[in-house]
Amino acid sequence: MENKEEKKKIVLSGIRSTGNLHLGNYFGALSKFVKMQDDYDCRYFVADLHALTTHPDPKMIHENVKQILAEYLAAGLDPEKNTIFVQSDVPEISEMYLLLNMHVGIGELMRTASFKDKARKALGITSDGDEIEKEIIGNNTNQRVNAGLLTYPTLMAVDILIQKADLVPVGKDQEQHLELTRRFARRFNSFYKTDYFTEPTNFNFGGEAVKVPGLDGSGKMGKSEGNCIYLIDDEKTLRKKVMRAVTDEGPKEPNQPVSQPVENLFTLMALVSGPEVVKHYRDAYADCSIRYGDMKKQLAEDILKITLPIRERILEIRGDDEYLSKVVARGAERAREYASATLRDVKEIMGIRKV
Ligand code: ADP
Ligand code: TRP
């Protein structure tokens, strides 16, 4: 079962169901998913098992899964062209996660940047030394730093390898996880003397991975940063957020260097406005005639052009539970077909056979 009928490269990506999607998720991941759907065999999922690693309220999990699905569809993912599914609907993933964990070292997991960040936050450690290891092996941390968080990269590698994905469109922050996936694939192949797994790569249409900045002058728009513009934001909320964006006192001399908060506005503008609009404001900055109020109005206008139609569709689709169930039921069926073929092979290779 090698997908021989499909010559197209296999694409796989997912987003955790931890809340509404923001412009960072949109430009870093979702808009790429949409652009890739015509040319590849795409499989996109909602990573609800990964969301469990940070202990969300059980009541919210189900709602968040539906919300992300509605946002996928509203942004333009076509269930006829793609396999759209929920991670927990594919139990083969959990089974292969157990198998792959036998070939993953605790040390390499503990050295992963995302684990160290989350563990440090959970334990209230501010320094960068070896205190994490001591704290973790010491007492009282069982609840806060769970084994699921540690083995997050194993689960992500399984998501990718079980679908035999070639390309994985993700933002820059996910590249280390992808590197681990490649390492696990190589290790499995060499341990069992096979060439079963291929090594997946990130995909950015030949360009640099996108990093969408925050409007508070900070480097990154993110849920935990609390500086997000959401696809679901209504017009008034969105305008208010943009008008409140941090700037500076304005240029005093021609061609003055641009401060970080203002550069962030230009970066956002480059994503949502036409090049001539960006040039207009760059020129206005250079000759000191810029009025940040006007620039922000323009920016809000251009963001709304993208987000408002998506927002309307989210609201429509979000209320249609029957449609959402139909989409994921079909998606799960296809995803399981691919996954069970891989799992069968992997078990065979590892020597787990029926008596
Ligand atoms: P968050 O950082 O808000 O928790 P996730 O970690 O769930 O978002 O990220 C989901 C996807 O969106 C990933 O592919 C990630 O790389 C991308 N992403 C998130 N924030 C940004 C951002 N500010 N710029 C670019 N891509 C981003
Ligand atoms: N770790 C990813 C994130 O936080 C989500 C994810 C889980 C994923 N499994 C994946 C992304 C497989 C791509 C492929 O955004």
Side-chain angles (χ1 to χ4, degrees), residues 15-16 18 22 24-25 28-29 169-174 210-212 220-223:
I15 299 181
R16 287 176 305 138
T18 50
H22 52 76
N25 303 135
V170 280
K172 209 166 172 45
D173 56 317
Q174 295 298 314
V210 182
K211 190 174 109 181
V212 179
K220 183 189 170 224
M221 185 177 289
K223 262 167 255 159

Side-chain angles (χ1 to χ4, degrees), residues 213-245:
L215 287 178
D216 51 355
S218 82
K220 183 189 170 224
M221 185 177 289
K223 262 167 255 159
S224 37
E225 282 76 9
N227 58 3
C228 296
I229 293 183
Y230 294 102
L231 295 177
I232 194 76
D233 278 343
D234 62 38
E235 196 172 333
K236 201 167 145 214
T237 310
L238 193 145
R239 279 188 206 282
K240 214 192 269 170
K241 284 183 181 175
V242 177
M243 294 316 286
R244 277 202 202 130

Side-chain angles (χ1 to χ4, degrees), residues 55-86:
H55 298 162
D57 177 349
K59 281 190 234 94
M60 290 309 295
I61 296 177
H62 187 57
E63 291 309 310
N64 279 337
V65 168
K66 289 201 281 184
Q67 182 68 25
I68 303 282
L69 278 173
E71 301 198 8
Y72 275 3
L73 298 165
L77 282 189
D78 181 347
E80 300 294 326
K81 294 181 186 160
N82 308 284
T83 298
I84 299 174
F85 65 100
V86 179

Side-chain angles (χ1 to χ4, degrees), residues 62-125:
H62 187 57
E63 291 309 310
N64 279 337
V65 168
K66 289 201 281 184
Q67 182 68 25
I68 303 282
L69 278 173
E71 301 198 8
Y72 275 3
L73 298 165
L77 282 189
D78 181 347
E80 300 294 326
K81 294 181 186 160
N82 308 284
T83 298
I84 299 174
F85 65 100
V86 179
Q87 191 181 27
S88 61
D89 281 341
V90 182
E92 289 80 5
I93 294 173
S94 301
E95 191 173 343
M96 189 167 137
Y97 162 69
L98 182 147
L99 297 173
L100 189 66
N101 256 333
M102 306 304 167
H103 289 283
V104 171
I106 324 180
E108 61 192 339
L109 292 174
M110 284 183 79
R111 284 190 299 272
T112 307
S114 60
F115 173 73
K116 289 214 280 191
D117 277 356
K118 287 193 174 128
R120 225 180 261 132
K121 263 189 207 148
L123 298 169
I125 297 174

